[in-house]
Amino acid sequence: MYPRKSIIPEEFGLPGLVSRMPRKPVFRDRVNKARFIAKNGSCNLAHKNIREQGRFLQDVFTTLVDLKWRFTLVIFTTTFVSSWLLFAMSWWLVAFAHGDLDPGVKNPAYCVTDVKSFSSAFLFSIEVQVTIGFGGRMITEECPTAITVLILQNIVGLIINAVMLGCIFMKTAQSNRRAETLIFSRHAVIAVRNNRLCFMIRIGDLRKSMIIGATVRLQVVRKTTTPEGEVIPIHQIDVQTESAVASNSLFLLAPLIICHVIDKNSPLYDLSAMELQCSDLEVIVILEGVVETTGITTQARTSYISEEIQWGHRFVPIVTEEEGVYSVDYSKFGNTVKVATPPCSARELDEKPSILIQTLQKSELSHQNSLRKRNSMRRNNSMRKGGNLHRNNSGLAPPKVQFFAPNDGGQNLNAVT
């Protein structure tokens, strides 16, 4: 028995219609490239498979300073308690060897008075090392061994105090604490300045105490491949800024805009607006200087990836003069505005300068048109307001009052206004 054919043709059936329906394109999320420097300045780098761990113990002081606070406090407490216990055992052995712990001996010549157990020896060890001196326990001249132990404990205690207190002081006075008040703009911008395409960022200092001899360095980090086929995952390329070219330090009294002119020597010379969004470069900014109050060299870092670089934007001014004093509005520190910027690369601008002229002319025409529209709208609004005001005035005019006077005949009345 043959199967019965459907009345509806196959091409108009549900499977045929589904197969011919246009499918929506699937957009895959771009895999985010790992940052070399985070926005807060920390290095995104993990050290693995270090075989020579003993090198860290050769520089104990720096290792202790680099540790986190919880580990430093644990080491601080453990070191002092261990030294007290060690010398408490020494004092107990001295007393035991001299026979001070024998209860059968009456009126002996003690090495240390009132040391009759390990607990009392531990308390005497703390009194000696911390120089408390309650007065109940003291050393006598009967035991040269006890005098030697006393000298050793004083020397060891001074060394421990110097090392541990120095580590805590260095941790509290670290230069990265001062870097917390050195701020960078959230985004970097690329716009035309002095007829040249420029890469710009904004830096500022929130404290009134200045950074002496401040310098800014820019580096572009990208993955490159040499002609020989060698892959360099982190290729650092130095970028010159206007301050570096002038070989002068920055006077960071108010927020400054750091400008890099994109010229032939710049790694951004061949990048256009579209190519910049597809590139995997990272621009690292390093601000260095000497803290005025402490004299310690500090360093603040940040980075900008391609998604954080705004093409065709410019920073808004934030420094104004009010009543003879310059004021800075930090609420607008990272604000930008759109400006006319050609989307082509700096190489194309150098080869075809007419592109920049045409872009500036178009922006000028659009600006004039917008001004004309605003003026016409203002005129229309003023005319409408004037017409409404005239109508309101006419409506508020006093009404005419008519007075009627009788004629001679008494029948006709004349209206007198």
Side-chain angles (χ1 to χ4, degrees), residues 91 94 98 100 108-113 124 137-151:
W91 289 117
V94 169
H98 192 262
D100 296 346
Y110 295 105
C111 288
V112 181
T113 59
F124 181 71
R137 301 176 183 87
M138 72 180 90
I139 190 172
T140 63
E141 67 276 6
E142 296 294 332
C143 301
T145 306
I147 297 174
T148 304
V149 174
L150 177 66
I151 294 173

Side-chain angles (χ1 to χ4, degrees), residues 40-56:
N40 59 357
S42 60
C43 298
N44 187 20
L45 187 65
H47 298 275
K48 296 182 179 180
N49 301 326
I50 300 177
R51 298 180 180 179
E52 299 181 359
Q53 298 287 345
R55 293 181 177 270
F56 295 99

Side-chain angles (χ1 to χ4, degrees), residues 316-333:
V316 299
I318 60 175
V319 180
T320 57
E321 184 179 359
E322 298 177 358
E323 299 179 357
V325 178
Y326 289 98
S327 62
V328 181
D329 186 4
Y330 281 99
S331 63
K332 302 177 181 179
F333 183 80

